[in-house]
Amino acid sequence: MGKATGFLEIDRKDRSYDAPQERLKHYREFVIPHDDTTLKGQAARCMNCGIPYCHNGCPVNNQIPDWNHLVYENDWRTALDNLHSTNNFPEFTGRICPAPCEAACTLNLVDQPVTIKSIECAIVDKGWKEGWIEPQAPAQKTGKSVAVVGSGPAGLACAQQLARAGHSVTVFEKSDRVGGLLRYGIPDFKLEKHLINRRLVQMMAEGVEFRTSVEVGVTVSVASLLENFDKVVLAGGAEDPRPIGIPGFELPGVRYAMEFLTQQNKRVAGDDEIRAAPRGSLLATGKHVVVIGGGDTGSDCVGTSNRQGALSVTQLEIMPRPPEKEDKALTWPNWPLKLRTSSSHEEGVEREFAVLTKRVLGENDVTGLECVRVEWKNGKMEEVPDSTFVIPADLIFLAMGFVGPRKAGLLEQAGVELDARGNVKANTTDYHTSHERIFSCGDMRRGQSLVVWAIREGRQCARAVDEALMGVTELPR
C-alpha cells in the first residue's frame, strides 16, 4: 500500500483553515484543500498494515488502504469507484465525519495517522469536478414500490440504493427542503448545501421522487403509505430534544439548539425572516450567549453565534474536562475520550467543564444562568460546596442531545414496537420492525449518532428491503 517507506519519509499534513477573523465574516466553507501532489504524498504514508484497523474504525467499512494506494498511483477515477462502492455520499463524510478511521490508523500510535478524511474528500470532489459522477439508473424496473420517510443521510442512502435496484422510490420529507439534519442541523460553514442539491439531481435522474412539506402521520397517514406502497422505511431521525427542566427554562430566551441552527441555515438559503423564523427571530447579535452541551451541536451554536456578532459565548459541559491526550495503550484502535477543540472553538468561546445548571435568572427575559461546579466520584456526580456562580446570559441554547424519535403522528400511527430507549425496534440483520411491511434505519432505529452510521444503516436497510421484495438481492451490505 502506498510507498513502503512513505510513513518514514513524509510527515502528516492535514488541510488548513482560513484565519478566524476572515471566516467569521461569512457562512461558506473555509477549509483549504491540498493540491494533488501533496495528496499523493499523504496517501503514500498509508502503511502495508498486517491488519488495517481503519476498516473497523469506519462504520461504512471504506476500503481505505485501497483508495489511498490508487491516489498514490494517480488513478483517481478508480479510487472514486472504490470509494463509492461503500459510501453513497463521501463528500458529506469527508467534511463532517469525526474520522474514527484515523483514530484507528496504525500510525495514530505515534500521533501521525494518515489524513484519511482529507483524501476521501479530495477523491469525491475531483470526481464531481471532472464529471465522473453520473446517475446510475437501473436497466429495468421491478414494478415494486417503496416509501422512505425522512430525507436525512439514512433515508437518502436507502432511497438511492433501492432506486438503483430498480424499485420505484418516493421520499417523504416534512420540511420544505430535502436533507434532514444535513440541510438544517449542520451549518453551511461546515457543509454547503449545494453539495446536497447536486446529489438530489443525481437521485432524481435515477428515479427517486421527492415529496417535501409532507409530514407522514400529519398530512399523509401511515395507512395511506401502506395502501400505496409495497414497503415503508422509517428513517425520520432522532428529533426529540433532551429537556433541561430547571426553574426558568420556560423563559423566551431559552431555546433548543436546532431551532437556532435551522433559522440561520434558512437565512443562508435565501429565505426571508418570516419563513426562516416563524416563531420569532433567534439572533445572537450583541448578546451574551450560553450553550448548554459540549458536543458537536453545541460547537455549531458557538460558530453561528460568533458569526452573528455575539458579545460573548460560553459553552457548558456537565462531564469533567477530558485529558488533552489519550493513553494509546488503553484506547487504540478504539475512539478515545480526549479533549477535542473544533474550528468553532478556535473562533472564540469560554468552555466550562463539570458544571451543572441550577436555574435560569430573569423575569420576562433571560438575564443569567445560575450554575454549580460538580465532581465525579466513582461514576457519581456530587456538587462542590460553595461553588455556585452566575453566568450573564441573554440567550441560552440547549444542545444536550436527543432522547429518540418523536412519537406523535408517525410512530403512533405506525404502531411499531419500540425498544427500551424509545427507538424503533429493529435489528441490524433485516431492519424489520414489528410490522411485516415496515423497516427502520438510522437515528430513528439506533438513536442519535453520526452521519456515517446513518449512511451505513440506510445502505444495509436497502439491501434488506430489496431481499424482502425480490427474494434475493445483489445490493452490497
Side-chain angles (χ1 to χ4, degrees), residues 339-384:
L339 182 66
R340 302 180 191 280
T341 300
S342 71
S343 58
S344 291
H345 292 145
E346 294 171 350
E347 294 162 2
V349 64
E350 183 71 26
R351 301 173 75 182
E352 293 275 2
F353 293 89
V355 169
L356 175 67
T357 57
K358 299 293 287 185
R359 64 187 179 105
V360 180
L361 304 180
E363 295 183 4
N364 297 320
D365 296 307
V366 172
T367 59
L369 182 64
E370 182 181 299
C371 307
V372 65
R373 301 199 180 275
V374 297
E375 292 181 338
W376 290 84
K377 298 178 180 178
N378 299 319
K380 295 183 178 180
M381 182 183 68
E382 297 179 4
E383 295 185 13
V384 176

Side-chain angles (χ1 to χ4, degrees), residues 406-418:
R406 291 180 175 143
K407 309 303 186 294
L410 173 61
L411 294 186
E412 287 179 350
Q413 290 187 18
V416 292
E417 186 178 349
L418 305 180

Side-chain angles (χ1 to χ4, degrees), residues 11 19 66 119 126 129 186 227 284-285 315 339 378 389 391 412 448 475-476:
D11 291 332
D66 293 349
I119 297 169
K126 181 178 281 289
K129 180 180 179 181
I186 297 173
E227 182 179 347
T285 311
Q315 186 177 20
L339 182 66
N378 299 319
F389 65 102
I391 302 174
E412 287 179 350
Q448 69 170 56
L475 289 177

